[in-house]
Amino acid sequence: KLVKKLYKTTGITIKNKPPLFQDIKEIEAMYTNECKWLYRLQSDKVVRLYEHGELKDEEGFYCIQEYGGPTLLEYHSNGVLHTHFPNIKEQIIDLFLFFKEKNVYKFNNAMANICGTSDGNIKAFDFKYADKRSLDKRENECYSIDTWIAKIDKTLPNELKKLI
């Protein structure tokens, strides 16, 4: 149960489109940031990074990560998010408390970037945009909460903004 994530200019995204970033320096920066935060955030709340490095046959990079399960977006789209995760609100709050402890803003807190494990827990992934917390970046984290996390539970934004 592993995922191989590729960072390269010739890649295809989850939306079956070319990557947004075409400059290899930008791609390398996102890859490096992903690895940095996955190491710093090692816990039961974040997917595990097993291996990473440069691609051998072309310009780019790879990460081999734990597959934590289907994304919360899949559960939500199938109408079973709250059935599979009856304590989803509490788990999201715990996740944001963890991010606060680690002094990080994730910025892309979409349900497509949080997976649900078979034992009913959630794990975050995709930290390529993450950054150390600062007052000038708080608004971006609020946007992420209002745009994506609010779809899980409409009361979450008010509670989470107290934690950021």
Side-chain angles (χ1 to χ4, degrees):
K1 294 206 169 193
L2 301 174
V3 172
K4 186 173 187 179
K5 196 171 182 179
L6 300 175
Y7 294 81
K8 58 185 189 171
T9 58
T10 60
I12 300 294
T13 67
I14 192 95
K15 294 181 179 180
N16 203 28
K17 294 181 179 179
L20 180 62
F21 299 96
Q22 292 292 310
D23 180 85
I24 194 65
K25 295 283 187 210
E26 289 177 308
I27 291 170
E28 182 177 14
M30 287 184 282
Y31 155 77
T32 301
N33 201 50
E34 173 90 6
C35 294
K36 174 180 88 173
W37 286 107
L38 285 174
Y39 280 125
R40 286 185 183 176
L41 299 173
Q42 285 182 11
S43 69
D44 63 346
K45 296 183 182 329
V46 173
V47 298
R48 184 173 174 200
L49 176 62
Y50 290 102
E51 181 183 323
H52 64 92
E54 288 189 48
L55 295 174
K56 293 181 184 356
D57 55 351
E58 64 182 302
E59 191 174 50
F61 309 90
Y62 74 94
C63 291
I64 297 178
Q65 302 172 336
E66 165 189 15
Y67 172 74
T71 68
L72 296 187
L73 182 59
E74 290 178 55
Y75 288 105
H76 183 266
S77 297
N78 293 328
V80 296
L81 178 66
H82 294 278
T83 304
H84 276 80
F85 307 97
N87 66 341
I88 188 69
K89 182 177 173 182
E90 291 79 11
Q91 286 195 62
I92 294 291
I93 291 169
D94 285 345
L95 183 62
F96 275 78
L97 280 167
F98 175 71
F99 291 160
K100 182 178 182 180
E101 288 171 19
K102 297 297 184 176
N103 198 32
V104 63
Y105 284 147
K106 187 171 181 282
F107 298 128
N108 61 345
N109 291 295
M111 285 188 278
N113 295 324
I114 304 171
C115 58
T117 64
S118 59
D119 61 359
N121 293 310
I122 63 169
K123 289 188 174 196
F125 63 94
D126 198 353
F127 288 88
K128 65 183 171 280
Y129 299 119
D131 205 353
K132 185 177 175 184
R133 288 173 174 237
S134 66
L135 190 56
D136 63 318
K137 296 174 185 161
R138 185 179 187 280
E139 188 174 319
N140 292 335
E141 189 75 339
C142 288
Y143 174 83
S144 176
I145 290 167
D146 288 336
T147 303
W148 297 303
I149 297 293
K151 294 175 183 176
I152 295 171
D153 184 299
K154 292 180 194 284
T155 64
L156 272 170
N158 286 336
E159 294 192 43
L160 295 180
K161 288 176 185 175
K162 296 173 191 172
L163 304 176
I164 62 168

